[in-house]
Amino acid sequence: MRRTRSKIHPAASQPRIDHLLESMEKDVYGQKGKLSDPTACRDCGAVYHKGRWTWGAPPADAARVQCPACRRIADDYPAGLVTISGDFALAHADEIRGLVQNIEEREKKEHPLKRIIAIDRESDALVVKTTNARLARGIGEALEHAYKGELDYRFTESENVLRVAWKR
């Protein structure tokens, strides 16, 4: 899916990508039924309470499971892939890496399942693997906002992965 901008309002193209993101939320790493309340992730310490994952101290009697983000990290199975390419991107790789990590930190504070699995340098690009498709989209939008460039989204239903490409 190519991202397009409306001349009327920049968010007018949002419904198409939002619809895809909603369908991705029902993926294999989602919860299989309701968890007992409270439940804590045995790896990262996130707490499942009242139907959502948050940060906080789990009660001593909390059930222990591996949260969906930690499962994705352990399996190296991203929900989002952001490919950052172009001469500008490679020349400013450290600055861009810092921006990406700042976005993750901001999002992770409120949403424990939004994390970066890895930032890898390939021959002509940086590739960011995320545990959450909305985080991948946010990274792409932040790059476009900060540095302009070309932004493109592609969703592969068979892989259940949002691919975001930014180039400058």
Side-chain angles (χ1 to χ4, degrees), residues 22-156:
E22 286 170 14
S23 69
M24 288 184 70
E25 289 172 358
K26 296 170 181 68
D27 70 23
V28 296
Y29 283 85
Q31 297 308 132
K32 307 277 191 273
K34 191 165 176 117
L35 293 173
S36 60
D37 197 337
T39 296
C41 178
R42 64 176 179 251
D43 295 339
C44 70
V47 177
Y48 183 82
H49 181 62
K50 294 185 179 177
R52 94 183 271 268
W53 288 95
T54 61
W55 295 113
D61 63 341
R64 299 283 176 176
V65 298
Q66 193 176 40
C67 73
C70 287
R71 286 185 18 232
R72 280 190 178 277
I73 292 167
D75 294 347
D76 192 26
Y77 192 86
L81 287 169
V82 183
T83 303
I84 303 166
S85 62
D87 294 337
F88 175 87
L90 296 177
H92 296 86
D94 291 338
E95 181 181 335
I96 288 171
R97 186 182 296 264
L99 173 70
V100 168
Q101 290 169 332
N102 287 339
I103 293 165
E104 179 205 26
E105 284 301 312
R106 183 187 70 219
E107 289 295 319
K108 190 170 67 170
K109 282 180 186 175
E110 293 296 317
H111 306 282
L113 303 185
K114 290 184 177 183
R115 297 192 223 149
I116 291 175
I117 296 171
I119 302 175
D120 299 321
R121 176 80 187 250
E122 293 186 356
S123 60
D124 60 346
L126 288 174
V127 178
V128 182
K129 298 176 185 178
T130 68
T131 60
N132 180 279
R134 291 182 191 274
L135 176 59
R137 179 182 82 171
I139 290 169
E141 289 174 350
L143 288 165
E144 182 185 45
H145 178 77
Y147 305 114
K148 308 301 178 228
E150 298 172 27
L151 181 61
D152 186 48
Y153 301 112
R154 298 204 190 280
F155 175 69
T156 350

Side-chain angles (χ1 to χ4, degrees), residues 1-5 13 16 150-154 165:
M1 168 191 321
R2 182 109 176 114
R3 180 166 186 199
T4 57
R5 290 272 187 188
S13 61
R16 288 184 0 172
E150 298 172 27
L151 181 61
D152 186 48
Y153 301 112
R154 298 204 190 280

